[in-house]
Amino acid sequence: MAERRLECDVAVVGAGPAGLSAAKAAAAAGARVVLLDPQPRPGGQVWRNDIVHGMPAPSLALQAALYASPTTALLMRSEVIAASKGVLYVRADGDGVELRHAALVLATGARELLLPFPGWTLPGVTGAGGAQALAKQGWPLRDKRVVVAGSGPLLLAAGRTLQAHGARVLAILEQAALADVGMFACGLWRWPRKALQAATIRAELWRTPYRCDSHVVRAIGEDRLRAVQVRIGGRIKTIECDQLACGFGLVPNVELAQSLGCELAYDGAHPRVVVDDWQRTSVDGVYAAGEACGIGGLDCAEVEGAIAGHVAAAMLDSARALWSRRRHARRFAAQLRQHFELQKHVRALADDDTIVCRCEDVPMSAIPVHMQAREAKLATRCGMGACQGRVCGTALAELRDIRRSGFRPPIFPVSLEVLAGFGQDDPANPFQGVER
Ligand SMILES: Cc1cc2nc3c(=O)[nH]c(=O)nc-3n(C[C@H](O)[C@H](O)[C@H](O)COP(=O)(O)OP(=O)(O)OC[C@H]3O[C@@H](n4cnc5c(N)ncnc54)[C@H](O)[C@@H]3O)c2cc1C
């Protein structure tokens, strides 16, 4: 295995809308940019390549600009597993690569919040965004009966994608109250592009009932999902279906920022990266943009990414010119938080026997109410599996307000062979001493 070392002016982690915009802005100023992402194609979550329907035009335009830039390199199938001052440790196609940089933009996006309920680990149950991602990658859905549930505008977007791939979307169940969703919809005139998008999606899904104040109670089946018990308004009902796509909103991916020592703040139970007007984090030379800094949607991610890219390349006037656009986009983020807040009863769906950590098969009853994250890990192995607590740790933060105090690299599970490939003469290398 060849050890590889690369150098650039601006390293951008994450090729979603925020990362692509940051890379484009920095490259426009002549900076040498490297953009990394584990996916085979750029686009992040919202612009994930769809093998049937392709990619949206704005994503293609951004990518074309980057591929045409002589100073930009895109490292796809590459994930950052650790970082120290000025160096990223990257697993690139099974190899270890060290990327030295002058400035770093963290655009690591968000993941779904999955809350446990009886039956949620049955085959046939996924997240709402997870189902959408699978559909775009070719998961066979023709004539499958799907229920979409959880919270937030992602439910409609997921329903549309699943329908476009041939699924019969039987119902969309939103846990937020009708009054809240109504107020959110009435305020959308301030963001005409979003209002149009919402109306278009709703029109495409005209046959599918959209119910507020509604949520999943349990998934039913023996070796796979057969039906789902739901509460619609005040009434319990059973719907026979093949798939359940259930997600309760999004939470920022902050692990890399956390391991670099960037300051975090909490929106409810979940941390986000703190940035100033220039998208600077509390660590010198490290910027952050997009959903890692709080859930704000596509427009917010794009404009924050552009500001971070301009500032990382010392183009402060170009960055300042985007501040009012960012203010407008962030107002939308505040609306999202306010109107799709989780109601108390969705935090009480799991019973004692419900598995909370599905990597290590830990039931809710094994985690007493006041247990801390570290204690839960040591006593029950909760959070020690392949997802490294991304699913169960996030759920427990929401359900029990259990917060993680730190994050030790590697950020993703990785082979010792890759770790041993990083320069053993580098004192900053967190994997110094790892042998093949
Ligand atoms: C599953 C899911 C589906 C969604 N679907 C929609 C939708 O249909 N419509 C919509 O409007 N919004 C959707 N969203 C919301 C959407 O994420 C945002 O609006 C927008 O994509 C945020 O852009 P971003 O660049 O901040 O993050 P993202 O688009 O999430 O991009 C972040 C990128 O960072 C990469 N990354 C993370 N950690 C590392 C690391 N350590 N090393 C290298 N790369 C890393 C990820 O692979 C990802 O590609 C979805 C969100 C999720 C989680």
Side-chain angles (χ1 to χ4, degrees):
M1 184 183 66
E3 177 203 321
R4 286 188 282 162
R5 289 188 181 186
L6 300 175
E7 260 186 40
C8 66
D9 301 317
V10 181
V12 182
V13 184
L20 285 166
S21 304
K24 184 181 170 209
R32 292 172 307 149
V33 178
V34 174
L35 173 63
L36 307 117
D37 198 289
Q39 299 296 329
R41 304 274 303 268
Q45 298 291 1
V46 55
W47 289 339
R48 183 185 292 276
N49 185 45
D50 185 318
I51 61 164
V52 178
H53 304 286
M55 260 190 211
S59 168
L60 291 172
L62 268 173
Q63 288 176 44
L66 290 176
Y67 283 119
S69 155
T71 59
T72 304
L74 276 83
L75 288 191
M76 301 311 294
R77 294 194 169 88
S78 303
E79 59 198 348
V80 177
I81 55 166
S84 61
K85 192 168 171 44
V87 190
L88 294 177
Y89 300 89
V90 182
R91 174 176 55 192
D93 250 345
D95 240 353
V97 174
E98 286 177 29
L99 174 60
R100 284 166 203 279
H101 53 269
L104 171 63
V105 179
L106 302 174
T108 48
R111 59 176 175 270
E112 268 188 289
L113 171 62
L114 305 177
L115 293 182
F117 52 85
W120 76 292
T121 54
L122 274 174
V125 182
T126 64
Q132 188 191 36
L134 287 166
K136 289 181 177 181
Q137 286 161 19
W139 189 37
L141 274 167
R142 187 141 303 282
D143 297 329
K144 290 265 165 69
R145 298 161 305 165
V146 186
V147 171
V148 179
S151 195
L154 177 56
L155 301 187
L156 277 174
R160 172 166 68 173
T161 304
L162 300 177
Q163 178 174 281
H165 284 262
R168 283 169 49 208
V169 183
L170 303 181
I172 298 179
L173 308 178
E174 166 60 60
Q175 61 83 40
L178 179 61
D180 266 317
V181 177
M183 271 191 285
F184 176 76
C186 290
L188 275 184
W189 60 269
R190 279 169 284 177
W191 299 274
R193 206 170 73 165
K194 293 200 184 291
L196 179 66
Q197 194 189 12
T200 310
I201 297 181
R202 196 61 201 106
E204 286 174 22
L205 287 166
W206 64 273
R207 276 177 302 201
T208 302
Y210 179 89
R211 298 277 182 257
C212 295
D213 254 325
S214 302
H215 60 85
V216 169
V217 175
R218 62 172 59 241
I220 302 166
E222 290 74 46
D223 51 355
R224 66 159 297 110
L225 181 75
R226 203 168 38 76
V228 51
Q229 194 180 65
V230 298
R231 180 186 286 274
I232 297 183
R235 296 194 19 222
I236 297 281
K237 197 176 159 184
T238 299
I239 306 175
E240 288 189 10
C241 61
D242 306 302
Q243 299 290 152
L244 168 63
C246 185
F248 289 91
L250 304 176
V251 293
N253 288 325
V254 299
E255 291 78 11
L256 189 55
Q258 198 170 13
S259 73
L260 275 164
C262 300
E263 186 188 341
L264 304 178
Y266 279 80
D267 281 337
H270 307 288
R272 62 177 166 79
V273 184
V274 173
V275 286
D276 67 7
D277 285 346
W278 304 100
Q279 300 295 138
R280 286 182 303 207
T281 70
S282 60
V283 174
D284 206 25
V286 180
Y287 306 83
E291 302 221 298
C293 307
I295 306 308
L298 172 60
D299 297 350
C300 203
E302 280 190 282
V303 69
E304 287 186 2
I307 292 173
H310 286 310
V311 178
M315 304 294 285
L316 300 191
D317 287 342
S318 309
R320 193 184 287 107
L322 295 171
W323 282 2
S324 68
R325 223 182 100 196
R326 180 181 56 194
R327 241 191 329 271
H328 187 59
R330 281 189 178 166
R331 275 190 212 119
F332 176 75
Q335 294 289 308
L336 275 180
R337 264 200 308 281
Q338 183 185 342
H339 295 300
F340 290 94
E341 207 182 329
L342 291 186
Q343 302 203 53
K344 246 201 307 213
H345 48 263
V346 302
R347 295 201 181 86
L349 295 176
D351 58 29
D352 276 0
D353 296 331
T354 306
I355 298 289
V356 59
C357 171
R358 58 186 180 182
C359 301
E360 297 287 340
D361 264 356
V362 181
M364 279 304 276
S365 59
I367 317 274
V369 172
H370 297 297
M371 198 178 238
Q372 293 306 301
R374 189 175 151 73
E375 242 183 302
K377 216 171 181 178
L378 294 176
T380 70
R381 293 191 57 82
C382 181
M384 290 184 77
C387 87
Q388 291 285 287
R390 281 181 176 76
V391 177
C392 57
T394 309
L396 283 172
E398 186 67 46
L399 301 179
R400 299 273 176 86
D401 205 19
I402 293 180
R403 292 180 182 182
R404 288 174 142 198
S405 51
F407 206 93
R408 213 173 59 178
I411 287 162
F412 297 109
V414 63
S415 70
L416 287 175
E417 196 181 8
V418 169
L419 299 187
F422 296 124
Q424 294 296 316
D425 51 340
D426 170 9
N429 173 5
F431 310 113
Q432 219 183 10
V434 176
E435 289 177 17
R436 243 171 240 155

